[in-house]
């Protein structure tokens, strides 16, 4: 060991197995993502992806806009003329007044408008337009609409021309019938503005004419139909009236009045029925009175004579009672003055007895009057009941005859009502037959358009812009889907299943990493401050004493990370040994500008002692062991028992040992080294380390029972990754990741 090393040698520490206990071997990483923090849409990730693929978006949108301009310039201008017509809902009826428009539900109104739209789009109306404008013989129209005149001859030529013209009319016709309005739009598109206006106006005119013709034809048919129906109905009415009259004479049925009812047993009243109805009404009334009289008589029988309300209400009895009270008072005065056998007392007593007898006689008469009234009503009820029974028998006998009579009567009434309705409707149709009214009117005639409707450069450009955005997004999605590079810190744990320990920025100024590390306030130094803190607090067992830095491929920043972490621990006052463990392609001696003539390969081959291979690194408290001469058998040297002895010897003199290991892919060296250290840190370069290779490398480390405590994302360019506004402040604040428990 050099004199510098001896002077700074610290007390030897007892080696423990704390790290092997704190970090047990991990299993293989599954093929899928290690963690998923939610299935929601990550807008930040989408914005980053869009930023990374901004050139694709620009190129695709530019090509789309250029294609839109070219298509617009090559497209033939199309002119559209529009005519507006008002469609009132008016249906031709036979049994209703022609000037009354029925109120129907909204659903029927919608069907009516849809029907009118179908009429406007019909082939029959197109043929009328073609015939009225003589378009079948107009080669200019066919050529202007982009067609070629047929080459047939004779009648076949005329038929072919009509079919061609009708097809052109239907293909370029546009009908709009809104459900919330009765104004329909008839639009026709043509390369010629004059032809467009002419055809649109012709459609409106022929639509009105065809509507009038249908109404007139319907009216003529209705009149002829009504004439036939009236003649037949009149004949049936006469026959039914004669049959009714003959039956009434034969059976002796005499009507007294009409009841205004229809149905069985209704329509008219005979003498027997009328008498039965009147007597029955009287019988019901007398019976009700008899019930009331019977109740009064029974109440009179059960009530004391002088307590009857009728007795108390009798004026005669009230006068007698008044006289009796007077006589009784006089008798009392006489008895007070005379003896009972005095003539005056006896006379007064006799008169009082006479008044009592008279009062009793009058009360009995009142009660007998109640009984007499009851007897009279009973006799009347019996007489009326006898009459009702007699008339009921006659009515029952007559009822069988009236069934046939009512049938004939209803037939007469039905024929008469139908005859009158048909006759009234015929008069209305005859009065309005010469009036040509239409429920369709032109609101705005089609004008010759002043400019083309198609192509619309602005709309084409807008469509091209949206199409370009969509295609660009599709291209970006395909690129992002097949590009599995690890770009951002968030993807380290999700794609590799490793804890993120830190993120180091890319040096954009082109400077030397060692020079950047010597500046404690540089972004690179701040980032490695965070990484050193994450490694120190990665476990409750304390800081690992031997740390290996490796990666899946060369030049991913593991060497710079090894130097930086060694310098960071050395700045804390710890004795640090930095070892270049890449025996195939070493690079630390070049970065540190030191000699590589003697180093790790010499020690492993027992050509030198460890103290003879140690040299100052240029950083405080940090010694360096280069890789030494490149051996022919690096794997055998690392697999020998000398490596554990070397690390054990180094632990006696140093607090921390940092090893810059070789890449994992394609070599077994990193696996051998990882088995001998306390902690392995996996370095992944941003936008260069791919998920497949990195996961394969991590699997190989886990297969070797390496204690991989996490990963560091190196050379991270936030702006290039699309996070220019998310990771831009101090790295000491933005990149402190890892478990600090």
């Amino acid at each position: 060991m050099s004199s510098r090393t001896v002077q700074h040698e610290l007390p030897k520490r007892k080696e423990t197995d704390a790290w092997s206990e704190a970090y047990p071997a991990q299993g293989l990483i599954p093929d899928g993502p290690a963690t998923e923090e939610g299935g929601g849409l990550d807008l930040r990730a989408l914005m980053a992806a869009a930023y990374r693929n901004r050139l694709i978006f620009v190129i695709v949108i530019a090509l789309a806009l250029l294609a839109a301009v070219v298509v617009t310039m090559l497209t033939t201008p199309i002119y559209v003329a529009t005519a507006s017509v008002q469609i009132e809902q008016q249906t031709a009826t036979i049994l209703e007044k022609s000037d009354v428009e029925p109120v129907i539900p909204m659903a029927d109104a919608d069907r009516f408008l849809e029907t009118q739209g179908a009429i406007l789009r019909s082939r029959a109306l197109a043929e009328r337009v073609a015939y009225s404008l003589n378009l079948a013989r107009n080669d200019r129209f066919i050529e202007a609409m982009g067609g070629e005149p047929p080459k047939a001859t004779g009648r076949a030529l005329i038929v072919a021309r009509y079919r061609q013209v009708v097809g052109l009319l239907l293909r370029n016709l546009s009908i709009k019938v809104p459900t919330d309005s009765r104004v329909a739009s008839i639009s026709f598109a043509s390369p010629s503005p004059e032809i467009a206006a002419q055809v649109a106006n012709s459609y409106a005119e022929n639509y009105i004419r065809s509507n009038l013709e249908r109404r007139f034809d319907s009216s003529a048919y209705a009149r002829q139909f009504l004439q036939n129906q009236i003649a037949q109905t009149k004949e049936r009415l006469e026959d039914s009236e004669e049959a009714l009259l003959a039956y009434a004479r034969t059976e002796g049925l005499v009507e007294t009045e009409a009841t205004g009812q229809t149905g069985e047993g209704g329509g008219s009243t005979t003498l027997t029925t009328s008498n039965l109805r009147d007597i029955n009404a009287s019988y019901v009334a007398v019976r009700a009175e008899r019930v009331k009289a019977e109740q009064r008589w029974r109440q009179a029988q059960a009530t004391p004579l002088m307590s009857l309300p009728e007795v108390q209400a009798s004026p005669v009895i009230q006068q007698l009672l008044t006289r009796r009270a007077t006589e009784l008072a006089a008798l009392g005065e006489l008895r007070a003055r005379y003896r009972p056998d005095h003539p005056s007392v006896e006379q007064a007593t006799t008169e009082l007895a006479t008044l009592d007898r008279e009062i009793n006689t009058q009360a009995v008469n009142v009660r007998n009057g109640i009984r007499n009234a009851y007897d009279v009503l009973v006799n009347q009820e019996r007489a009326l009941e006898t009459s009702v029974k007699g008339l009921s028998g006659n009515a029952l006998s007559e009822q069988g005859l009236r069934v046939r009579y009512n049938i004939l009567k209803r037939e007469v009434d039905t024929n008469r009502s139908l005859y009158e309705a048909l006759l009234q409707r015929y008069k209305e149709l005859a009065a309005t037959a010469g009036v040509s009214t239409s429920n369709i009117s032109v609101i705005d005639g089609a004008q010759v358009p002043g400019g083309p409707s198609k192509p619309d450069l602005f709309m084409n450009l807008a469509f091209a812009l949206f199409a370009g955005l969509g295609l660009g997004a599709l291209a970006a999605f395909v690129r992002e889907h097949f590009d599995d590079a690890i770009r951002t810190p968030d993807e380290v744990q999700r794609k590799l299943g490793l804890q993120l320990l830190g993120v180091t920025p890319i040096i954009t100024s082109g400077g030397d990493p060692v020079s950047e590390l010597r500046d404690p306030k540089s972004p690179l130094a701040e980032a490695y401050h965070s990484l050193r803190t994450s490694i120190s607090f990665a476990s409750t067992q304390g800081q690992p004493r031997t740390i290996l830095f490796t990666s899946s491929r060369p030049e991913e920043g593991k060497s710079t990370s090894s130097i930086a972490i060694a310098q960071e621990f050395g700045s804390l006052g710890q004795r640090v040994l930095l070892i270049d463990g890449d025996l195939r392609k070493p690079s630390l001696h070049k970065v540190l500008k030191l000699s590589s003539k003697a180093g790790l390969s010499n020690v492993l081959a027992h050509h030198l002692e460890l103290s003879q291979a140690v040299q100052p690194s240029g950083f405080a408290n940090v010694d360096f062991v280069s890789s030494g001469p490149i051996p022919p058998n690096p794997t055998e040297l690392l697999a020998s028992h000398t490596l554990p002895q070397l690390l054990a010897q180094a632990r006696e003199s140093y607090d921390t040992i940092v090893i810059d290991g070789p890449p994992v892919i394609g070599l077994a060296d990193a696996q051998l080294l990882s088995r001998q250290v306390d902690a392995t840190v996996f370095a992944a370069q941003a936008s260069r380390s791919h998920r497949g290779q990195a996961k394969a490398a991590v699997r190989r480390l886990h297969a070797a029972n390496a204690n991989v405590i996490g990963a560091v994302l190196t050379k991270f360019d936030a702006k290039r990754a699309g996070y220019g506004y998310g990771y831009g402040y101090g790295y000491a604040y933005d990149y402190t990741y890892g478990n600090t428990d």
Side-chain angles (χ1 to χ4, degrees):
M1 185 178 296
S2 66
S3 59
R4 182 178 183 276
T5 305
V6 174
Q7 293 174 0
H8 294 85
E9 183 176 346
L10 297 176
K12 296 182 179 180
R13 299 184 179 182
K14 182 179 179 181
E15 184 174 349
T16 63
D17 294 333
W19 274 90
S20 60
E21 296 176 359
Y23 291 93
Q26 302 180 24
L28 294 179
I29 300 177
D31 293 336
T35 58
E36 292 292 344
E37 297 185 358
L41 186 63
D42 191 350
L43 295 179
R44 190 174 182 181
L46 292 179
M47 294 176 62
Y51 182 83
R52 290 194 297 269
N53 296 277
R54 59 190 181 278
L55 184 60
I56 293 178
F57 278 95
V58 172
I59 294 175
V60 173
I61 291 175
L63 292 176
L65 293 177
L66 179 61
V69 173
V70 172
V71 170
T72 302
M73 295 178 63
L74 297 179
T75 302
T76 302
I78 300 297
Y79 298 86
V80 177
T82 302
S84 301
V85 295
Q86 180 178 356
I87 305 174
E88 294 293 342
Q89 188 171 339
Q90 184 176 353
T91 58
T93 59
I94 296 178
L95 298 179
E96 292 182 357
K97 294 183 179 180
S98 59
D99 58 346
V100 175
E101 182 177 347
V103 179
I104 62 176
M106 182 60 68
D108 292 338
D110 293 342
R111 286 195 291 269
F112 171 75
L113 293 176
E114 291 176 1
T115 301
Q116 299 304 311
I119 293 174
L120 285 168
R121 300 183 189 95
S122 64
R123 177 173 291 275
L125 187 58
E127 292 175 352
R128 291 177 63 99
V129 172
Y131 181 79
S132 62
L133 297 178
N134 198 19
L135 297 179
R137 301 180 183 274
N138 190 344
D139 292 340
R140 177 173 172 269
F141 171 78
I142 298 176
E143 294 173 355
M145 297 303 296
E148 295 183 1
K151 304 189 180 298
T153 58
R155 181 171 179 78
L157 175 62
I158 298 177
V159 174
R161 279 178 171 269
Y162 263 106
R163 290 180 178 176
Q164 184 180 24
V165 168
V166 169
L168 292 173
L169 290 175
L170 294 176
R171 281 196 298 271
N172 294 275
L173 178 67
S174 176
I175 303 297
K176 293 182 180 180
V177 184
T179 57
D180 55 351
S181 173
R182 295 191 177 185
V183 177
S185 299
I186 304 174
S187 302
F188 189 78
S190 172
S192 172
E194 293 80 9
I195 292 178
Q198 185 180 14
V199 173
N201 287 325
S202 179
Y203 255 99
E205 294 172 0
N206 283 277
Y207 176 48
I208 294 175
R209 280 201 197 95
S210 64
N211 180 67
L212 290 174
E213 290 178 2
R214 287 196 305 272
R215 289 168 58 85
F216 181 80
D217 294 341
S218 176
S219 177
Y221 171 78
R223 291 196 304 274
Q224 183 63 36
F225 172 78
L226 289 175
Q227 286 179 354
N228 297 334
Q229 292 297 316
I230 288 172
Q232 296 176 8
T233 305
K234 182 180 179 182
E235 183 177 355
R236 289 199 300 269
L237 176 60
E238 293 174 351
D239 293 341
S240 61
E241 288 178 341
E242 291 178 358
L244 176 64
L245 182 58
Y247 182 78
R249 288 177 178 176
T250 301
E251 302 298 337
L253 299 176
V254 180
E255 294 185 1
T256 58
E257 60 180 1
T259 63
Q261 299 176 348
T262 59
E264 194 68 32
S268 62
T269 304
T270 62
L271 291 175
T272 303
T273 305
S274 179
N275 292 334
L276 178 60
R277 182 178 59 192
D278 295 340
I279 293 176
N280 186 66
S282 300
Y283 170 71
V284 172
V286 169
R287 185 176 182 181
E289 292 297 328
R290 189 267 305 168
V291 172
K292 293 180 181 179
E294 183 178 0
Q295 293 296 328
R296 287 199 301 270
W297 169 238
R298 290 182 179 179
Q299 183 179 5
Q301 286 179 321
T303 305
L305 184 61
M306 295 306 298
S307 299
L308 289 175
E310 291 82 357
V311 172
Q312 295 177 355
S314 175
V316 176
I317 295 176
Q318 290 178 358
Q319 291 177 3
L320 293 174
L321 290 174
T322 302
R323 288 178 56 192
R324 183 180 183 280
T326 303
E327 292 294 336
L328 183 61
L331 178 61
E333 291 179 0
L334 291 175
R335 285 179 178 177
R337 293 172 56 188
Y338 304 105
R339 294 180 178 179
D341 56 350
H342 191 275
S344 299
V345 174
E346 293 179 353
Q347 183 180 358
T349 301
T350 303
E351 291 179 357
L352 183 60
T354 303
L355 285 174
D356 289 338
R357 287 193 297 272
E358 188 174 356
I359 290 172
N360 185 66
T361 301
Q362 291 296 328
V364 171
N365 292 335
V366 171
R367 185 172 61 182
N368 291 335
I370 296 175
R371 173 61 184 272
N372 294 333
Y374 168 67
D375 292 338
V376 170
L377 290 175
V378 169
N379 294 330
Q380 290 180 356
E381 181 184 4
R382 291 174 179 172
L384 290 173
E385 183 179 4
T386 303
S387 300
V388 168
K389 289 181 179 180
L391 291 174
S392 297
N394 296 335
L396 290 174
S397 301
E398 191 180 72
Q399 188 174 7
L401 301 177
R402 289 200 54 79
V403 172
R404 175 63 179 169
Y405 180 84
N406 289 334
I407 293 173
L408 297 174
K409 185 68 168 60
R410 281 197 300 272
E411 185 177 357
V412 171
D413 295 339
T414 302
N415 291 333
R416 182 179 293 108
S417 299
L418 181 59
Y419 177 75
E420 292 175 353
L422 293 173
L423 188 61
Q424 179 65 25
R425 182 57 183 162
Y426 180 79
K427 292 178 180 178
E428 293 173 358
L429 289 177
T432 59
V435 180
S436 298
T437 60
S438 176
N439 61 325
I440 303 169
S441 58
V442 177
I443 303 300
D444 290 323
Q447 302 293 327
V448 177
S453 299
K454 298 178 183 178
D456 189 340
L457 179 60
F458 176 77
M459 292 299 296
N460 290 345
L461 290 177
F463 176 78
L465 177 61
F466 284 107
L469 288 173
L471 293 175
L474 179 61
F477 171 77
V478 172
R479 182 186 178 192
E480 291 289 324
H481 180 72
F482 290 101
D483 185 6
D484 62 347
I486 301 173
R487 302 181 181 277
T488 64
D490 300 333
E491 296 178 352
V492 172
Q493 184 172 2
R494 179 166 56 86
K495 292 185 177 181
L496 298 182
L498 296 178
Q499 182 71 28
L500 179 64
L501 299 176
V503 181
T504 63
I506 190 172
I507 302 175
T508 58
S509 60
D512 184 12
V514 177
S515 301
E516 292 286 331
L517 292 174
R518 294 185 185 278
D519 182 5
K521 294 185 178 181
S522 67
L524 188 63
E526 293 286 352
Y528 281 111
H529 290 338
S530 300
L531 178 60
R532 181 252 301 162
T533 303
S534 298
I535 295 175
S536 299
F537 294 96
S539 171
T540 58
Q541 303 297 327
Q543 172 192 324
R545 296 194 60 194
T546 53
I547 305 171
L548 171 66
F549 281 86
T550 185
S551 61
S552 60
R553 301 170 55 187
E555 299 180 358
E556 291 199 47
K558 58 181 178 57
S559 299
T560 302
S561 299
S562 302
I563 297 173
I565 292 302
Q567 185 266 341
E568 285 292 327
F569 283 117
S571 66
L572 297 179
Q574 297 184 17
R575 295 285 293 124
V576 182
L577 179 62
L578 176 62
I579 301 176
D580 190 347
D582 191 351
L583 300 181
R584 300 177 185 270
K585 191 176 180 181
S587 61
L588 285 186
H589 67 282
K590 297 179 183 179
V591 176
L592 298 176
K593 298 178 181 179
L594 298 175
S595 173
S596 184
K597 294 181 180 180
L600 179 63
S601 60
N602 302 104
V603 177
L604 294 177
H606 301 285
H607 296 161
L608 292 175
E609 295 293 332
L610 176 61
S611 59
Q612 296 175 339
V614 173
Q615 55 183 318
S617 66
F619 295 101
N621 299 324
V622 179
D623 289 337
F624 173 64
V625 175
S626 68
S627 64
I630 299 177
N633 53 349
T635 303
E636 295 180 2
L637 290 178
L638 294 175
S640 67
H641 64 277
T642 307
L643 178 61
Q645 296 175 356
L646 183 149
L647 294 177
Q649 182 182 358
R651 283 191 179 98
E652 296 177 355
S653 302
Y654 294 94
D655 299 298
T656 304
I657 302 168
V658 180
I659 302 176
D660 177 23
V664 178
I665 300 299
L667 304 173
D669 300 0
Q671 293 174 274
L672 295 173
L673 287 170
S674 66
R675 295 173 60 92
Q676 305 299 328
V677 297
D678 296 335
T680 301
V681 178
F682 189 81
Q685 181 178 345
S687 302
R688 183 172 181 267
S689 179
H690 292 275
R691 175 186 179 186
Q693 293 180 341
K695 286 187 66 176
V698 174
R699 285 195 189 95
R700 296 189 64 182
L701 292 175
H702 286 312
N705 292 326
N707 179 28
V708 184
I709 63 174
V712 55
L713 186 65
T714 63
K715 302 180 184 180
F716 178 65
D717 187 352
K719 185 176 181 181
R720 179 182 178 186
Y723 291 84
Y725 299 97
Y727 296 91
Y729 194 65
Y731 288 94
Y733 298 96
D734 290 339
Y735 298 119
T736 304
Y737 293 92
N739 186 2
T740 58
D741 295 339

